Amino acid sequence: QVHLVESGGGLVQAGGSLRLSCAASGGTFSTYGPGWFRQAPGKEREFVAAISRSGSVTRYADSVKGRFTISRDNAKGTVYLQMNSLKPEDTAVYYCAARSSVVLTTTPHQYDYWGQGTQVTVSS
């Protein structure tokens, strides 16, 4: 059983930056493929980014490509989401998720474990 805890959310002005962290415990982190999702009020949860076990392969939603960067530190059991050039439409609760598969996926129900979420609010 893997336990995920997100941190780093907050309020930022448009054009600003935030770095989210997701600390994993209870499993062998290097064997999991983590991802980030977000959910805005009244909307479905959507894929943001995912990273392979080794960190060599990443995948991004078109809406964040070029602005967000996902990375991981297997020694620390942590995955990060660096968010730059933030826009008001990035406002959402951001969730960390993990799955025990080598295949990157953008589909929420294919992830086995979820964190509690962290709020990101971007003001205009």
Side-chain angles (χ1 to χ4, degrees):
Q1 187 77 9
V2 176
H3 185 56
L4 304 172
V5 178
E6 303 97 333
S7 61
L11 173 65
V12 64
Q13 288 189 330
S17 299
L18 282 174
R19 188 172 87 150
L20 304 183
S21 298
C22 173
S25 61
T28 305
F29 182 69
S30 60
T31 65
Y32 289 89
W36 287 95
F37 290 78
R38 66 186 183 186
Q39 189 167 18
K43 295 188 176 181
E44 294 186 352
R45 191 167 298 189
E46 65 174 0
F47 170 76
V48 176
I51 189 167
S52 64
R53 291 175 173 178
S54 67
S56 61
V57 180
T58 57
R59 189 170 178 181
Y60 296 94
D62 288 342
S63 59
V64 307
K65 207 171 289 184
R67 300 187 298 122
F68 291 11
T69 302
I70 187 171
S71 61
R72 65 188 296 168
D73 185 333
N74 285 341
K76 294 183 178 180
T78 303
V79 60
Y80 305 96
L81 186 67
Q82 177 67 44
M83 305 186 295
N84 299 329
S85 303
L86 283 161
K87 305 175 181 179
E89 51 264 43
D90 294 319
T91 295
V93 176
Y94 282 71
Y95 297 90
C96 175
R99 65 193 301 258
S100 52
S101 171
V102 298
V103 179
L104 297 187
T105 179
T106 64
T107 308
H109 76 259
Q110 293 184 333
Y111 283 79
D112 305 305
Y113 307 101
W114 290 85
Q116 83 289 349
T118 185
Q119 176 70 48
V120 171
T121 303
V122 184
S123 63
S124 56

